[in-house]
Structure formats: C-alpha cells, structure tokens
Amino acid sequence: MTDNIRTIADRFYQRLFTAHPELIDGMFNRGNQATGAQQQAIAGAVVAFARAQVESPEHPVERLLTRIGHKHASLGVEPGMYGIVHDHLMAAIVDVLGEAVTPPVAAAWDEVYWLLAHALINIERGLYSGHGLTPRTVWRTWEVARRIPETDDVVTFVVRRVDDRLVRRSLPGQYVTALMPMPDGVRQPRQYSLSHADDGRHRQFSVKRIHGEGGPDGEVSTLMCQDLRVGDRVTLSAPYGDVVLDDSGRPVVFASAGIGVTPMAGMLSHLVTAESGLRVMVLHADLDEESFPLRGQIVDDIAKLPGATLHVWYERGADAGMPVDDVFAGLMDISQVQLPDNALYYLCGPLPFMRYVRGALIERGVAPSDIRYEVFGPDLWQADVED
C-alpha cells in the first residue's frame, strides 16, 4: 500500500473536507493543501510510523510523534478528531485499493492508525495539561504593540496581552500558531518562532513574506506584513515546539540561514535574560547584511554574552558594517571556523542548508544526537534531514 499512499492521502482530504468543510476554518493550511504539501505530510507520517512498527517495534518513533504532537497542540486538535480522520482515511484506502483491501489488510492498517492516534492523543493531553489548557482554550487574543521592519520581506511583531490571565513563559526555541482571518472570512493558521524571550506581558515573533515565484504569494504572510498594524488584535496559541535549548552547560553553536535565524534569536535572548555564561557561537548565512533578519537584536545580544561570537556568510560578498567576528563570501562553509569541543548544535534554515551543515558536522565527528534542528513547513517527518 505504501506505493499508493500519496494517492490515498489526496482522496482522504477530498473526502474529509467534503464531509467537514468547517475544518478548513482554523485547522488546516489551505496553501499547503493547494501545493500538495499537506498530503505529502500525512502520507509520510503514516508510512514512517508503519515502517517503524515493522522494523523496530521496540523503539517507538518518539521524535516523529513529539513533533507532530506539539504542532497539533498548537492548533487545538481534540481527541475526537482522530475518529473523524480514521473513518475518512480508511474509506480512502478502500477507494484507492479496492479489492486488495482484504479484511486482514484492513485490520492491520486499522491497528497501525490507532497505535499512532492513541500515542499522539497521550502526548497532546500532556502538552495541554502542562499549560493548564484544553484544546478549546489554547487560543488567546493579543494586541500589536510594535511593528519592526527587519528587511524588505521580514517584519517583527511585538504583541502584548489584553487580559489579566497570566502568561506562561515560553521555552527558548518554541513557536506559536497565529490564527488569521482571511478576506473571505476563513481563518488560517501559521506557525512562527518566538524571536525574543517573554517578559510576562509581551511576545515577539517575526514573519517573512512568502513570494510565490510563479505561484500565488503566501496569503497569511502577505496579509500580516502588509496590513497588520499597531493596535490590531491577533489570535495566538500557547507556545509549543520540541526543539528547545538544552541547559546542560555545554557550549552552544547556532547555525541558521535566512528566516531560520528566528528561533536562534529567541534562544540567544533567553541566554541574555538568564545571564548565561555558556560559550556561544552563532553562524548565519544570507544574501547580504541588509537581508539578515533581526541582525540588530542579535548583535546586541552577542555583546551581552561573555565569549559569544558571530560569524556570517553573504552570497553577495564579504561586506559587513556591523561588528562580527568573521565575514565570508559565498555559502556557509563550517570548515572556515574553529568549532568548540563538546558542543550542542542547533540548525534552522532551508532543507538543503541543514542537510549540508548536518553532514559536515558528522564528518567532523559530531554525534548525531548532539545536532538539533527545526524544520519549517508541514512535512516535519518526510523533510527529516536524517533521511
């Protein structure tokens, strides 16, 4: 069946949204539906989980499940939704495979699905409980207090709470989901990394406007970058995300490219707030200095951390006006810097960038378990840099 899983996923979503069109409002990213990325995501999740059950059932795919669970919690997914998904997924399997779905085959895939579903339900229950929330109360209204243009395509938003409910602090590296009403009235969710440590009243996140490059522009990022102003209200989830800063005391290396710098900026800000004495090394790649989001905040935070260093690569030439320890022309080449011993590494950026950095680190003897990474987009399981 794995050869047909993408076709099954397409049929599943057709059935699901025909029966439950309300799920498009606030739950699913319709941009990813249009490009097929969402279909690829669910297909990859089911296949990866099924393969793991067959090949190594004694080792559950914890990383896969944790990532999906955090994303679901940030969307307010309820346990009852798994029954709806089950019914339409199993019907899609029969639609596509027909008589090949014998009772034993159907029973096997039914078992795989519910193993996956119950594991996720348990993870999500713990995540909601940890915030003192339920799926219905994961959302909260904030007001835009500041709007900071970072580059031609990136805007940072600082939002403040508008009620008396306490704000549970985020962990360094986490994200929130923004639930934005579109002009047609449909609410669309998008995840954004928190790019500054919380102070109990404010949160900060940065949005890159997505240009379609032959297709439609990103509808949510365009709306936010063009139209969201100081004083406007925005609905955000509680913070979630499993790629968070380790507090073991080991040196830390952040490697990012483009908008992938946002979770790194958030982690740096947390280190400054904690008056950390960790050795910190920041590696960033971009087109040029003007394209480097949050560069002012990062330079300021680097200056507040004893022994922290900043090393940049610019495709358009080795020119830097801000204080950096190294500036190189071209794509990132980690052989050009001296990495600290026994460090933990955090990566975020386009998938080819992360594959290169991870591969280069492993070639230099870094243990895979010491490399953490955040993948933007829906297919957190298929776009795994370990593949």
Side-chain angles (χ1 to χ4, degrees):
M1 192 181 85
T2 55
D3 293 339
N4 296 285
I5 194 68
R6 175 60 188 272
T7 304
I8 292 169
D10 288 337
R11 182 61 181 143
F12 158 71
Y13 279 113
Q14 291 170 7
R15 294 184 61 96
L16 179 67
F17 294 138
T18 297
H20 297 277
E22 73 277 4
L23 292 179
I24 287 289
D25 183 11
M27 185 60 63
F28 287 91
N29 180 328
R30 62 186 179 186
N32 289 332
Q33 289 290 322
T35 63
Q38 190 73 55
Q39 293 89 327
Q40 183 180 5
I42 192 170
V46 173
V47 169
F49 187 80
R51 183 181 297 123
Q53 295 304 306
V54 172
E55 297 177 358
S56 56
E58 72 281 5
H59 299 298
V61 281
E62 294 179 1
R63 190 172 190 178
L64 164 72
L65 297 177
T66 299
R67 286 190 175 188
I68 300 173
H70 275 268
K71 182 145 187 198
H72 283 184
S74 81
L75 291 165
V77 169
E78 301 183 40
M81 294 179 182
Y82 285 94
I84 296 172
V85 168
H86 167 269
D87 293 346
H88 291 286
L89 180 59
M90 296 305 293
I93 290 172
V94 173
D95 285 352
V96 173
L97 299 182
E99 295 180 357
V101 186
T102 62
V105 169
W109 279 102
D110 188 76
E111 180 181 6
V112 167
Y113 175 82
W114 282 114
L115 283 171
L116 173 62
H118 287 311
L120 290 172
I121 289 169
N122 288 332
I123 290 171
E124 290 152 24
R125 183 182 294 117
L127 292 172
Y128 291 131
S129 177
H131 281 284
L133 300 171
T134 70
R136 301 291 180 90
T137 61
V138 73
W139 303 104
R140 184 169 181 167
T141 300
W142 299 74
E143 181 179 272
V144 177
R146 294 181 65 199
R147 174 190 164 96
I148 307 166
E150 299 283 354
T151 72
D152 290 343
D153 292 324
V154 178
V155 178
T156 290
F157 296 96
V158 180
V159 297
R160 59 174 165 240
R161 67 182 190 182
V162 296
D163 55 39
D164 293 329
R165 292 166 54 197
L166 292 177
V167 175
R168 185 179 291 269
R169 302 290 180 94
S170 65
L171 298 176
Q174 291 192 310
Y175 56 80
V176 292
T177 294
L179 194 59
M180 296 297 296
M182 296 293 100
D184 62 2
V186 174
R187 298 169 301 164
Q188 282 289 279
R190 298 291 188 274
Q191 281 78 39
Y192 297 107
S193 295
L194 293 167
S195 51
H196 197 279
D198 303 340
D199 63 5
R201 292 185 57 83
H202 299 84
R203 288 214 162 111
Q204 175 181 305
F205 60 95
S206 303
V207 179
K208 179 179 180 180
R209 180 176 177 179
I210 304 301
H211 296 284
E213 298 180 358
D217 292 343
E219 60 175 340
V220 174
S221 64
T222 298
L223 178 69
M224 296 180 80
C225 289
Q226 285 188 346
D227 299 336
L228 192 61
R229 301 294 170 183
V230 172
D232 290 345
R233 298 292 178 91
V234 60
T235 300
L236 301 177
S237 74
Y240 289 104
D242 64 314
V243 182
V244 298
L245 188 62
D246 190 292
D247 60 358
S248 63
R250 296 168 61 184
V252 174
V253 177
F254 300 123
S256 60
I259 195 63
V261 76
T262 52
M264 311 307 181
M267 292 184 197
L268 273 175
S269 178
H270 277 269
L271 290 172
V272 170
T273 300
E275 299 181 348
S276 173
L278 287 181
R279 181 179 178 188
V280 178
M281 188 176 200
V282 178
L283 315 177
H284 182 72
D286 229 308
L287 291 176
D288 53 32
E289 187 170 278
E290 293 301 311
S291 303
F292 184 168
L294 295 158
R295 58 189 180 277
Q297 174 185 315
I298 288 171
V299 166
D300 288 346
D301 284 346
I302 289 285
K304 296 172 185 174
L305 294 170
T309 58
L310 174 60
H311 313 262
V312 297
W313 285 258
Y314 295 140
E315 292 182 40
R316 293 174 177 165
D319 297 317
M322 64 185 187
V324 297
D325 293 274
D326 287 304
V327 55
F328 304 100
L331 303 176
M332 183 179 291
D333 179 356
I334 62 172
S335 69
Q336 294 175 293
V337 295
Q338 182 65 44
L339 300 174
D341 295 332
N342 194 36
L344 291 171
Y345 294 83
Y346 296 84
L347 319 181
C348 191
L351 194 58
F353 164 82
M354 290 197 292
R355 284 196 174 112
Y356 155 70
V357 175
R358 183 178 183 277
L361 290 173
I362 290 174
E363 286 183 2
R364 293 179 66 160
V366 176
S369 59
D370 289 338
I371 306 172
R372 323 285 169 82
Y373 50 87
E374 184 64 88
V375 179
F376 292 156
D379 52 336
L380 301 178
W381 33 91
Q382 282 207 329
D384 195 316
V385 296
E386 293 182 352
D387 288 348

